[in-house]
Amino acid sequence: MGQFVHLHVHTEYSLREGALRIADCVRTAADLGMPAVAITDTNAMYGVVSFYKAAKAVHIKPIIGVQLSVGRDADHDLLREGRPGGPLIDRAVLLAENWTGYQHLVQLVTLAHTRERQPFVTFGELGERANGIIALVGGGESAALKCFSSGETEEAEAWLRAWQQVVPATHLYVDVQDHNVPDERRGLPSLIRWARGASVPLAATNDVHYLRREDADIQRVLAQLESNHSGRLLPGDRYEFASAEEMERRFAKLQEAVDNTVVIAQRCNVELPIGQTLLPKYPTPSGEDAAVVLRRAAEAGVRRRYGTPSPQVLERLNYELDIIERLGFADYFLVVADFIRFAHKNGISTGPGRGSAASSIVAYALKITDVDPIANRLLFERFLNPERVTWPDIDTDFEYERRIEAIHYVVERYGRDRVAQIGTFGTLAARAAIRDAGRVLQVAPKLVDQMAKLIPGHPGVTLQQAREEVGAIRDLLAANEHAQSLWETAVALEGFPRHTSVHAAGVVISPIPLDNLVPVQPGADGTPVTQFPMADVEAVGLMKMDFLGLRTLTLLDRCVASIQRRTGQPFNWKAVPMDDPATFAMLARGETDGCFQLESPGMRRVLRDLKPSGFEDMVAVVALYRPGPMENIPTFIAARHGRTPVHYPHPDLEPILQDTYGVIVYQEQIMQIASLMAGFSLGQADLLRRAVSKKKRDVLEAERTRFVDGCMARGYEEAVANEVYDLIVRFADYGFPRSHAAAYAVLAYRTAYLRANHLTDFLAALLSMAIGANDKITLYTRDARQHGIQVLPPCVAQSGAYYEAESDTVIRTGLLSVRNVGRGAVEAILQAKRERPFASLVDFLERVNNRACNRKAVESLLEAGAFARFLPDGASGEVALQLLNQAYAAVEERAKGVQGGLNLTFGDEPDAALYIRCASVTRPLVAHIQSLLRTYPGEVRVALYDEAKRRVRLLEPKWTVTVTPELIGALEELVGIGNARIGRIPSGSAGGRR
């Protein structure tokens, strides 16, 4: 068998271009006896770590590379514009020869993605980073081959000479390909002649995009997924993962080109630092040791938290600090405390804790968490086990709308070159694969829709699972060959990455510049984003931190702000009792709409049955109400209310299990049991908990022996020890971290407290959070009315952006709740209103930016009743729309300089009147005018002039008003610009006065 190595391979991470899965690539290379294989995705390194690990797993050498777009330095500005028909750009395969070459590839790819229109680097930029890189130039997509094919020999040679100027001769190869494409074959002889003349060695490659020739159709579908066909459509079907024999056949006259692929593979030796640890570094003052700074900050923190700390607190603090320092995590804690401090200083709310981090008194002292681990009996070893060194994992909840500010802070604080959000990929799910394949293949839309709707809707369902679960799918595939063909294509596409995205929470802070290790690209807001996904970022030693956005914190903030606005008093959570009777009475009734973790129908039933009376009950409920532990809820409730006796496996376990009535609810309880009965340290007990949760038979038996031996050594009977061990095995799977339950119970209690004690403010905040979700708006509005609270329609004069509590019994709808009214329109309205109140509809239209708040938005506001105060009573529908049209006409007239009656002097003669000219005086019009006049009582009489009948009508004496510009403007909206004015009633009018 001949020797050959594929050096030009596009995997699934050449997005919408490569139809070759990494697993298939490395497995096939191994099956074909190839000693190595390369990954060279287009302008990206998304799959490098996954590829590297997969290749190592099948014992072949991974070669790391990229196909990069390279332009002339002189064309830099034009290439950045990315216009169609712009300057020619070259594409070449670059391979990392060594670690320096890998770093240079990472830097080049990162630099390429700083160009907005299209990724590329210039020859000059490449030359600065060429060390350690082997370049394969002149391949099928290269500028040189295109020029040779079209007869532009001098231009082609100029491109190749440009490569000679930036890449050392020992690292430059000419890439020869044969895909049976006419243009390629036409230019290939000239390319080879130039290489011979310039003494540049040849390397044979196949531009691999899929596994087998029959997969060519899958690649074509993939390339056309986007409407602009942004993927690369390949000519022919020769872009497969060809065997060495096939490549030798294609290049029978260029055997050295085939042999050189092995030579190049032997030269490329990059070992990724899988498993290293690169923790972030905190910039301490004057370079002081981080452990010293942490100890000083933590000691000050416990004094703030506890006043004069007890011996128990100080012992726990020193114990934790010693472990943190010994494991080298002091910088990590300081970094987390730093961005938490920034958040608090800038009014950005953070959660009380998440996961096991709430178990740390150091975290509590630094205000990273807000749950007292001593009072809540939380175990530090559940968070950081000194007997099993793993990274600490402190995830932070931020107020949802301002989370990004915290991320921007760490970017600026620790360096844009060292901080990034973590990238991820949107993949083709089952339904999307059906619909996209159907669209590209032009399958009848009715059939595509029928098939897509048969796919079950639960998350993560695959096409294979759908076929097994749904008989109608099997029947359709059996009966319809078009359906079968579509299905097969969709199955082949399913799971392919379609586009890049950003991890919902993950942020990495590196002690070294990221582009020494991980390629990055700009995110939507300019924040760097890693090209490696989360698992791969961690694999190369970088620590992920989760910056999570929690809407519940936004809800709490809005509610508290409303309370403070209406009462004029500060609100402090520290002053809120944790045993508020009104709160627990409400929970016992199951009235929990909007309460964190407590809203579901099942949870309401549990609360009504449990009738919680203290915070400890809430911690237990948060832990119990999830699959698995749920089966223990009836036992827990019955024992709590004394309907069944509390049973303990052994009397010694009562102190551990008494708060949960003999039921193991928390993982920490398993650890405490192992420590008490078997004499395990808490670190060893945590290892036991982790081990038995994996349910491996050999591990279970080994741990049973250790546990039982330990128990017997401490005087417990073997039968009792086995009974307790069986209990531990049963609960280890779904025992919940008490630390997490306690932290989230705090949020649950706070939302419940606000609902019970500040219902109007709470519902206003809840409605604001639900804008855009009509079912939730209906639910919460009904909730308000059931409690005697009015939800009034929006009003441009009184509404803000969101729902607001106007009193204990009134909520005003926010402008953002009106359809077709976006944030730009609302901000324009509020800005105009801050200058002075709106006097009329005309005044509104004149002063509010009509680009931000367009006609469609205004009509939606009108329909929602937001202009009701400026319209006659009862004006709605067509009448209201007619009035709006008149108002727009008035604005247009005023824009032309016509100011109507507003420029006339007010008269004070006895027979002076507000004189209103009307095209026709009708009863509805008179009613509208009278409705408006009621709001301006005064002494001036009102006269109407009917132009149709040429008659003046003086309204009854009760219709006397105080004339203001606002009244004039409002009347002109009814009758037209310039037709409402003050003056004497015209004499000699037909019909006279009456």
Side-chain angles (χ1 to χ4, degrees):
M1 178 180 289
Q3 284 272 292
F4 171 79
V5 173
H6 277 291
L7 300 177
H8 190 169
V9 180
H10 294 272
T11 73
E12 61 211 272
Y13 290 101
S14 286
L15 303 182
R16 301 186 305 280
E17 180 179 343
L20 176 63
R21 300 182 195 271
I22 283 175
D24 293 336
C25 170
V26 298
R27 186 187 64 251
T28 303
D31 291 346
L32 292 173
M34 294 179 178
V37 67
I39 181 173
T40 58
D41 287 316
T42 305
N43 291 322
M45 300 175 72
Y46 302 125
V48 160
V49 176
S50 296
F51 168 82
Y52 178 89
K53 292 193 291 187
K56 289 284 189 178
V58 296
H59 309 294
I60 62 173
K61 180 192 287 189
I63 299 172
I64 296 172
V66 65
Q67 179 178 278
L68 195 64
S69 298
V70 184
R72 289 171 168 151
D73 292 51
D75 293 335
H76 175 273
D77 293 342
L78 291 173
L79 288 170
R80 284 194 76 122
E81 293 176 4
R83 295 177 182 174
L88 192 60
I89 197 163
D90 205 356
R91 290 177 175 83
V93 169
L94 306 181
L95 304 174
E97 181 184 32
N98 49 37
W99 181 246
T100 298
Y102 170 82
Q103 291 181 310
H104 284 159
L105 282 187
V106 168
Q107 291 162 15
L108 287 167
V109 169
T110 297
L111 178 61
H113 279 270
T114 62
R115 281 72 201 245
E116 295 179 6
R117 300 289 184 179
Q118 58 178 341
F120 74 92
V121 298
T122 63
F123 278 105
E125 292 164 340
L126 173 61
E128 294 169 0
R129 302 165 180 85
N131 186 22
I133 290 176
I134 295 174
L136 278 59
V137 304
E141 282 200 279
S142 70
L145 190 64
K146 290 175 183 176
C147 291
F148 276 135
S149 297
S150 59
E152 301 173 77
T153 302
E154 291 185 6
E155 180 70 2
E157 292 179 350
W159 279 102
L160 293 168
R161 285 195 298 272
W163 283 100
Q164 288 181 299
Q165 292 168 10
V166 297
V167 177
T170 54
H171 288 66
L172 185 65
Y173 289 79
V174 164
D175 185 356
V176 291
Q177 301 174 0
D178 182 5
H179 301 103
N180 197 28
V181 175
D183 285 348
E184 198 174 78
R185 287 191 164 182
R186 188 163 50 248
L188 192 58
S190 299
L191 179 67
I192 294 171
R193 275 196 301 275
W194 180 89
R196 302 279 196 219
S199 299
V200 178
L202 306 176
T205 73
N206 209 43
D207 190 0
V208 178
H209 279 72
Y210 39 81
L211 191 61
R212 302 174 298 269
R213 286 191 184 181
E214 53 265 36
D215 296 330
D217 288 340
I218 303 302
Q219 194 278 335
R220 291 191 188 100
V221 173
L222 202 60
Q224 298 178 78
L225 286 181
E226 302 300 322
S227 57
N228 61 358
H229 293 182
S230 55
R232 181 187 171 197
L233 279 169
L234 301 172
D237 60 356
R238 297 276 291 272
Y239 296 82
E240 82 280 16
F241 198 92
S243 66
E245 291 79 9
E246 171 63 16
M247 293 302 293
E248 287 185 330
R249 186 191 64 76
R250 292 188 196 181
F251 296 98
K253 297 180 180 180
L254 296 172
Q255 183 61 41
E256 79 273 22
V258 176
D259 295 340
N260 279 339
T261 64
V262 180
V263 173
I264 293 169
Q266 290 170 342
R267 291 177 59 181
C268 293
N269 295 287
V270 174
E271 294 292 327
L272 292 184
I274 303 297
Q276 72 172 346
T277 300
L278 291 172
L279 295 175
K281 293 294 182 184
Y282 179 76
T284 58
S286 305
E288 194 173 4
D289 185 69
V292 173
V293 175
L294 177 64
R295 185 172 291 273
R296 186 167 60 239
E299 289 172 347
V302 294
R303 288 193 294 272
R304 284 192 299 269
R305 290 288 198 182
Y306 296 97
T308 302
S310 67
Q312 180 190 13
V313 167
L314 292 176
E315 181 183 357
R316 172 71 170 265
L317 179 69
N318 286 315
Y319 170 72
E320 290 191 17
L321 286 169
D322 288 346
I323 292 173
I324 292 167
E325 182 176 352
R326 174 159 54 86
L327 298 179
F329 296 141
D331 283 282
Y332 175 77
F333 275 82
L334 290 171
V335 168
V336 176
D338 179 34
F339 62 70
I340 294 290
R341 186 167 53 250
F342 162 81
H344 293 170
K345 182 179 178 181
N346 289 275
I348 304 171
S349 294
T350 60
R354 188 184 183 98
S356 58
S359 302
S360 169
I361 199 170
V362 172
Y364 182 59
L366 298 176
K367 295 189 175 181
I368 292 171
T369 61
D370 202 23
V371 175
D372 185 344
I374 304 296
N376 285 279
R377 305 182 305 284
L378 306 179
L379 306 180
F380 177 68
E381 291 80 2
R382 176 61 187 82
F383 167 59
L384 197 59
N385 188 340
E387 301 188 41
R388 179 182 179 271
V389 179
T390 56
W391 290 352
D393 187 14
I394 301 177
D395 299 335
T396 307
D397 288 318
F398 291 93
E399 190 271 302
Y400 179 80
E401 293 184 342
R402 300 187 64 192
R403 160 187 170 268
I404 194 64
E405 294 178 42
I407 295 175
H408 287 163
Y409 169 74
V410 296
V411 168
E412 298 306 318
R413 172 80 159 120
Y414 296 94
R416 183 167 289 273
D417 62 333
R418 299 177 186 226
V419 181
Q421 291 181 265
I422 295 176
T424 185
F425 301 95
T427 57
L428 280 163
R431 283 185 177 173
I434 291 287
R435 293 194 183 279
D436 284 329
R439 175 174 49 79
V440 176
L441 297 174
Q442 298 183 330
V443 177
K446 186 176 180 180
L447 176 59
V448 174
D449 193 55
Q450 179 186 2
M451 291 183 68
K453 287 180 177 178
L454 288 173
I455 306 297
H458 53 268
V461 67
T462 66
L463 290 172
Q464 179 61 34
Q465 290 170 340
R467 184 170 187 163
E468 292 171 0
E469 292 176 17
V470 182
I473 292 178
R474 297 192 296 273
D475 294 342
L476 179 61
L477 298 181
N480 189 320
E481 63 180 27
H482 296 293
Q484 179 65 36
S485 176
L486 172 59
W487 184 269
E488 290 172 357
T489 303
V491 168
L493 291 173
E494 186 180 20
F496 272 118
R498 180 171 187 166
H499 57 79
T500 60
S501 186
V502 179
H503 188 277
V507 173
V508 62
I509 303 175
S510 169
I512 62 173
L514 282 169
D515 66 3
N516 283 342
L517 184 61
V518 178
V520 299
Q521 61 191 50
D525 64 347
T527 304
V529 178
T530 65
Q531 289 198 357
F532 292 172
M534 181 176 68
D536 294 352
V537 166
E538 293 181 316
V540 295
L542 294 171
M543 177 178 282
K544 171 186 72 73
M545 299 181 181
D546 277 345
F547 286 54
L548 296 119
L550 188 61
R551 292 178 184 272
T552 297
L553 294 174
T554 310
L555 171 69
L556 293 173
D557 282 358
R558 287 183 177 171
C559 185
V560 167
S562 178
I563 294 167
Q564 293 180 151
R565 174 180 56 82
R566 293 204 305 117
T567 64
Q569 299 296 319
F571 184 97
N572 188 345
W573 283 113
K574 299 297 181 188
V576 170
M578 296 300 288
D579 58 353
D580 177 60
T583 300
F584 285 106
M586 181 195 74
L587 291 173
R589 296 192 300 270
E591 296 176 9
T592 55
D593 277 337
C595 295
F596 182 65
Q597 301 269 300
L598 307 177
E599 281 193 274
S600 71
M603 178 63 91
R604 291 170 194 256
R605 286 193 299 273
V606 170
L607 291 171
R608 284 193 291 266
D609 293 341
L610 177 65
K611 300 194 183 307
S613 59
F615 182 70
E616 190 62 40
D617 289 338
M618 297 195 68
V619 178
V621 162
V622 169
L624 281 167
Y625 194 78
R626 58 197 66 253
M630 274 186 183
E631 67 185 52
N632 295 306
I633 290 176
T635 303
F636 182 93
I637 292 174
R640 183 189 183 283
H641 292 300
R643 293 195 292 269
T644 60
V646 177
H647 170 71
Y648 300 108
H650 190 279
D652 288 356
L653 299 184
E654 182 173 352
I656 297 172
L657 300 178
Q658 63 182 353
D659 284 344
T660 54
Y661 309 101
V663 177
I664 296 179
V665 175
Y666 310 115
Q667 293 173 355
E668 289 86 343
Q669 289 174 315
I670 294 173
M671 296 166 62
Q672 289 170 311
I673 291 169
S675 177
L676 174 70
M677 292 188 66
F680 287 10
S681 69
L682 288 173
Q684 291 171 329
D686 184 55
L687 294 178
L688 169 71
R689 177 193 64 78
R690 292 171 183 267
V692 298
S693 67
K694 296 177 181 178
K695 292 291 189 286
K696 292 183 178 179
R697 183 175 296 277
D698 57 337
V699 173
L700 288 174
E701 290 308 312
E703 292 298 333
R704 179 185 292 276
T705 301
R706 286 184 61 229
F707 181 82
V708 172
D709 288 349
C711 290
M712 292 174 68
R714 294 172 70 86
Y716 292 99
E717 295 179 2
E718 184 176 0
V720 170
N722 277 299
E723 179 189 350
V724 172
Y725 183 77
D726 289 338
L727 198 64
I728 288 173
V729 171
R730 178 184 167 198
F731 282 93
D733 254 357
Y734 51 68
F736 198 70
R738 179 177 168 84
S739 52
H740 185 70
Y744 268 28
V746 169
L747 290 176
Y749 180 82
R750 287 179 178 178
T751 53
Y753 176 85
L754 291 176
R755 181 181 171 90
N757 294 276
H758 302 278
L759 181 59
T760 309
D761 303 280
F762 182 75
L763 288 175
L766 204 56
L767 284 161
S768 294
M769 298 295 295
I771 287 175
N774 292 337
D775 56 337
K776 290 286 188 182
I777 294 290
T778 301
L779 174 67
Y780 299 144
T781 301
R782 184 168 60 245
D783 190 1
R785 288 172 181 158
Q786 287 171 349
H787 288 86
I789 299 170
Q790 284 183 287
V791 180
L792 299 181
C795 173
V796 292
Q798 293 175 276
S799 291
Y802 298 100
Y803 288 80
E804 291 183 2
E806 292 187 348
S807 70
D808 287 344
T809 58
V810 174
I811 294 172
R812 174 69 67 176
T813 300
L815 298 176
L816 275 175
S817 67
V818 181
R819 63 183 178 86
N820 302 322
V821 180
R823 290 186 179 276
V826 170
E827 182 50 41
I829 294 169
L830 298 181
Q831 182 178 346
K833 189 165 63 171
R834 282 191 287 269
E835 296 170 0
R836 67 177 187 277
F838 297 120
S840 65
L841 183 52
V842 169
D843 184 41
F844 176 93
L845 296 178
E846 285 184 323
R847 290 169 47 208
V848 174
N849 185 316
N850 61 9
R851 290 186 178 179
C853 187
N854 59 26
R855 176 76 182 242
K856 188 174 184 179
V858 172
E859 288 180 357
S860 294
L861 287 167
L862 182 74
E863 184 180 345
F867 296 113
R869 70 178 301 162
F870 301 133
L871 301 177
D873 289 347
S876 61
E878 289 299 322
V879 174
L881 190 58
Q882 182 181 0
L883 295 175
L884 177 64
N885 291 334
Q886 292 177 5
Y888 269 112
V891 170
E892 290 176 10
E893 288 295 325
R894 290 194 183 189
K896 297 174 185 175
V898 181
Q899 296 302 314
L902 292 181
N903 282 338
L904 297 181
T905 302
F906 285 32
D908 58 1
E909 298 90 337
D911 56 349
L914 175 61
Y915 174 54
I916 306 170
R917 182 186 297 273
C918 309
S920 176
V921 177
T922 63
R923 286 185 179 180
L925 178 61
V926 171
H928 287 156
I929 291 173
Q930 290 173 336
S931 175
L932 179 61
L933 298 178
R934 282 194 189 96
T935 59
Y936 295 88
E939 301 299 325
V940 179
R941 289 174 294 169
V942 180
L944 306 180
Y945 178 68
D946 188 331
E947 290 185 325
K949 296 181 179 179
R950 301 183 63 198
R951 178 177 295 173
V952 172
R953 175 183 175 183
L954 185 61
L955 296 186
E956 294 299 320
K958 64 181 179 180
W959 297 111
T960 54
V961 297
T962 298
V963 181
T964 67
E966 289 77 18
L967 174 58
I968 295 293
L971 283 169
E972 288 178 336
E973 292 176 22
L974 286 174
V975 298
I977 193 72
N979 290 327
R981 65 189 68 206
I982 284 291
R984 293 182 182 276
I985 298 171
S987 59
S989 299
R993 299 184 189 181
R994 65 188 185 95

